[in-house]
Amino acid sequence: PLYSWVRQEYTPTDVDEAEFEVNVSGPEGASVASMDRAMAEVERVLRETPHVRTVLATTGGSFLGQVSRGDVFVRIAPHSERRFSLGRLLECLRAGEPSRAWREITTQRDVMVDVRRRLAQIPHLRCSVRNSPSFNIGGGNFEIDFSILGPDLDALNGYGEELRARALNLGGIVDADTTLRLSTPELRTVIDRDRAAALGVEVADVADTLRVLVGGDDRASRFRDRELGEDYDVVLRLRETDRVAAERLGELHVPANGGTGLVRLDSVARFEEAVGASRIDRMDRQRQVSLRASVAPGYALADRLAALREASAAMNMPAAYTTRVSGRGRELERTFQEFLWAFSLSLVLMYVILASQFESLVHPLTILLSLPLSVPFALLSLYWTDSTLNLYSALGILVLFGVVKKNSILQIDHTNQLRARGLERHAAILEANRDRLRPILMTTLALVAGMLPLAVGSGPGAEERRAVAVVVIGGQTLSLLLTLIVTPVAYTYFDDLGRLFTRRRASGPRGPTPE
C-alpha cells in the first residue's frame, strides 16, 4: 500500500536551477517571416513575466529543419532573490517589512506555471514549458512520450488527436502535443502515365527536374575565384517568382524519348494543392504518432502514464494499432526493474559476507531482517514529505540498506561474544543491547546530522540531493526503535530454530545395535 501511495517518476521534475526551456509550435506551412514575428511576441510575453532575466529565442534550425518550430531558453532570477535566506531576511528587516521575506518566496515551478498561463493567450501557437534536462537520455526532453503505432497515417492522426483531447481531460497533463499533423500544405504533381509513355517521358526525369529547379541542387558545379584562390559550390535553382506558381512550373521542359527531345511539363502532368504530413516517424518499421506532454504539479510520471494507458485502451483501437512508452517513461520502468535486481543482489552479497564473518547460516538472517523493516519507513518518509520515488531516492534506499544493518551487527556480535564467555543467552541479550545502545544512537544521530544539510539545503539542484537525504533520514530514524526491539527477539527465535535443527541431526537414524 505504501508503494502505491508514493508518487513515482524518473528524476525530480520540480528541480529549481533558475533556467528552463520553452518550445513553440506554429501552424504548419508558416513562413520564416511569420514565425519570426510569432517568436518576437513570445519574447515580449516572457520579458514581461516577473523574475525573468534572460531570453534567447531561435526560429527553425532544428535537426529536422522545421520552419514552424521555435525554441526559447529562459533564465530567471537567482535563488537568493526568490527563496528565503538569512541575507534576504536581514534586507527585509532593514526595510521594515520582515513578512516580505516569506511573501516573495517564488520557485522555478511557480514561474513556469505563470509563463504557461501567459503563453496560452497567444493564438495559433502551441507552447511547451519544460525544465532543462539534468542529463540527456535520448529522444528529446519530454516527460511524457506516449506513442501509438499502426499502418495508416489518417487513422494514426485521428487516434493521436483523440488521445490528446482525452489527456487534457484526465488532469495532471499539460502542454500536450502530437508529432503527426496532416496539415502541411503541399503541391502534388500528378503524372498522366499513358501520355507520358506515349511521349517517352520517364517519371524519374520529371522528379529530377522538379528536384533541381524547385528544391535546388546543392552542388551543380564549382566556381573558382582566381584572385582569392577559393572554390565555391554553385547552387542551381529557379528564381522565386518562377517557382511559386503552378502555372509557371507547367512551362518547365522535361527530357523525352531518351533525351533526344523536350516536352513541356504541363503536357504530361497536372498540379494539385493538398495537405500532407510534415514528418512521418517510424518505430520498429511501423508508423507512429507520439503524444508528448509535461506533468503538472501534484502529479507524477508513473500515474499519468497509467492514466494514458487506460485512456488509450478505452479508445478501442483495432489490433493493428499498439501503444508504447518512450523517453523518460521507458527509462523509469527499466530503471525500477534493474533496481529490483540490484536490491536482490545486494541481499545475496550481504548474506554471503555475513555468513563468512559469523561462521553461521542463521545469524545473517537475523541481521538482514532489519532491511525489509526499513523499506516501509523509507516510503513513509517520502509520503510525509510529499516527495517522489525516483532515481535518486532509489539510490537512497540502497544507502539505507548499508546503514540500517550495522545496528543489528553491533547487537548480535556483542551477544555472541558474551555467550562465548559463558553468559546465559537471555542475560547476554539484555547486557549486549544495553552496552550497544549508546554507539547505535551515536552513529545514528551522526548520520542524521550529516544528512540534514542535504535535506534543508537550497540552491541549484537541491531537490535532487534532497531526495537521497529524505530517504536516509526518515528510514533510519523511524526504523531505529523497531530494529532495536525486533533484532534481539528474532535472535532468540532463530537460535531456538538452530538448536532444534542441530538436535534433530544429532538424534538421526543410527546403525544396528551389536549383540
Side-chain angles (χ1 to χ4, degrees):
L2 286 174
Y3 181 77
S4 62
W5 292 350
V6 177
R7 296 180 290 120
Q8 304 167 26
E9 58 186 355
Y10 182 58
T11 55
T13 56
D14 58 346
V15 179
D16 191 340
E17 294 183 334
E19 59 185 32
F20 57 90
E21 299 175 353
V22 179
N23 297 100
V24 182
S25 176
E28 294 296 331
S31 63
V32 176
S34 61
M35 197 62 196
D36 191 50
R37 290 192 296 268
M39 293 302 295
E41 178 66 15
V42 171
E43 278 191 87
R44 184 190 63 80
V45 172
L46 289 173
R47 294 186 186 279
E48 294 177 354
T49 305
H51 302 291
V52 172
R53 294 293 176 83
T54 305
V55 178
L56 174 62
T58 57
T59 303
S62 67
F63 73 99
L64 294 173
Q66 295 174 301
V67 176
S68 59
R69 299 291 189 273
D71 300 290
V72 186
F73 172 79
V74 182
R75 180 168 289 163
I76 61 178
H79 294 73
S80 58
E81 299 181 18
R82 297 181 290 106
R83 309 299 292 268
F84 175 79
S85 64
L86 293 178
R88 184 69 173 165
L89 179 60
L90 293 175
E91 179 184 342
C92 294
L93 286 175
R94 294 193 194 99
E97 298 176 315
S99 62
R100 197 179 70 185
W102 285 271
R103 265 197 336 265
E104 295 183 354
I105 292 179
T106 304
T107 64
Q108 178 176 313
R109 171 155 285 191
D110 297 332
V111 178
M112 294 171 63
V113 171
D114 188 19
V115 167
R116 187 178 290 116
R117 178 185 58 81
R118 291 169 179 262
L119 293 180
Q121 301 175 5
I122 302 179
H124 310 302
L125 293 181
R126 292 185 181 181
C127 300
S128 176
V129 185
R130 300 193 300 266
N131 275 336
S132 300
S134 301
F135 50 88
N136 187 16
I137 62 173
N141 180 27
F142 302 101
E143 295 179 17
I144 295 178
D145 193 348
F146 192 87
S147 302
I148 302 177
L149 286 68
D152 185 72
L153 280 179
D154 293 327
L156 283 176
N157 182 58
Y159 290 139
E161 292 299 326
E162 182 181 353
L163 184 61
R164 177 176 177 271
R166 289 173 178 260
L168 295 177
N169 294 328
L170 288 175
I173 298 178
V174 295
D175 302 336
D177 199 0
T178 57
T179 57
L180 178 61
R181 296 186 187 177
L182 302 181
S183 58
T184 303
E186 60 185 18
L187 189 66
R188 295 179 180 176
T189 304
V190 182
I191 300 175
D192 188 340
R193 301 284 180 144
D194 295 334
R195 186 170 178 78
L199 295 176
V201 177
E202 298 289 341
V203 175
D205 293 333
V206 175
D208 289 340
T209 300
L210 293 174
R211 178 183 60 82
V212 173
L213 298 181
V214 178
D217 195 345
D218 292 339
R219 182 179 173 181
S221 179
R222 296 278 290 178
F223 170 75
R224 180 173 181 78
D225 191 333
R226 298 185 181 277
E227 295 181 0
L228 299 177
E230 297 288 343
D231 290 345
Y232 301 94
D233 292 336
V234 177
V235 178
L236 179 64
R237 194 182 190 188
L238 287 175
R239 293 176 300 180
E240 185 176 0
T241 56
D242 295 328
R243 55 183 165 85
V244 295
E247 58 271 12
R248 296 305 303 273
L249 295 178
E251 299 175 3
L252 297 177
H253 288 76
V254 294
N257 297 321
T260 58
L262 294 175
V263 175
R264 280 176 58 110
L265 183 57
D266 55 7
S267 63
V268 294
R270 70 179 189 276
F271 298 96
E272 296 179 352
E273 294 185 359
V275 293
S278 60
R279 52 183 283 191
I280 300 177
D281 298 329
R282 289 178 173 84
M283 180 185 294
D284 294 341
R285 303 176 65 182
Q286 296 187 73
R287 295 172 175 177
Q288 71 166 359
V289 54
S290 298
L291 174 71
R292 292 172 174 174
S294 301
V295 179
Y299 296 86
L301 178 60
D303 59 79
R304 292 306 89 196
L305 290 177
L308 283 177
R309 285 193 175 98
E310 294 178 1
S312 62
M315 291 165 56
N316 296 322
M317 294 182 291
Y321 296 86
T322 58
T323 61
R324 186 170 301 179
V325 176
S326 303
R328 295 188 182 184
R330 181 184 61 185
E331 295 300 322
L332 168 68
E333 297 172 352
R334 182 185 301 174
T335 300
F336 277 22
Q337 292 174 358
E338 293 176 352
F339 261 111
L340 290 178
W341 281 104
F343 291 151
S344 302
L345 290 176
S346 66
L347 291 175
V348 172
L349 293 176
M350 284 188 286
Y351 179 84
V352 171
I353 294 175
L354 292 173
S356 63
Q357 292 292 321
F358 282 94
E359 298 181 354
S360 170
L361 299 178
V362 178
H363 295 321
L365 295 177
T366 309
I367 296 173
L368 296 180
L369 189 63
S370 61
L371 300 185
L373 297 178
S374 63
V375 174
F377 292 112
L379 297 176
L380 195 61
S381 62
L382 291 175
Y383 179 75
W384 279 347
T385 57
D386 197 26
S387 302
T388 61
L389 181 61
N390 51 60
L391 178 64
Y392 300 102
S393 54
L395 289 173
I397 294 179
L398 275 178
V399 175
L400 183 64
F401 277 6
V403 173
V404 168
K405 74 176 188 302
K406 58 92 180 173
N407 297 340
S408 302
I409 293 177
L410 291 175
Q411 293 172 277
I412 293 177
D413 181 61
H414 194 43
T415 302
N416 290 339
Q417 291 179 7
L418 293 177
R419 293 184 66 184
R421 298 173 188 172
L423 203 62
E424 187 266 333
R425 186 183 71 178
H426 183 70
I429 291 176
L430 292 179
E431 184 174 344
N433 283 270
R434 187 181 302 111
D435 295 342
R436 289 293 180 257
L437 177 61
R438 183 178 180 183
I440 288 176
L441 292 178
M442 290 171 60
T443 54
T444 300
L445 292 177
L447 176 69
V448 171
M451 284 290 179
L452 280 178
L454 294 180
V456 302
S458 60
E463 292 78 9
E464 297 174 345
R465 301 188 294 270
R466 188 177 301 127
V468 179
V470 165
V471 170
V472 176
I473 292 176
Q476 172 70 3
T477 305
L478 296 176
S479 63
L480 174 63
L481 295 178
L482 186 58
T483 54
L484 287 177
I485 298 174
V486 170
T487 298
V489 174
Y491 178 86
T492 60
Y493 281 112
F494 279 111
D495 187 64
D496 291 340
L497 185 62
R499 288 184 178 184
L500 179 62
F501 181 72
T502 304
R503 190 180 304 114
R504 286 187 177 181
R505 288 184 60 184
S507 61
R510 299 178 179 179
T513 303
E515 296 180 0

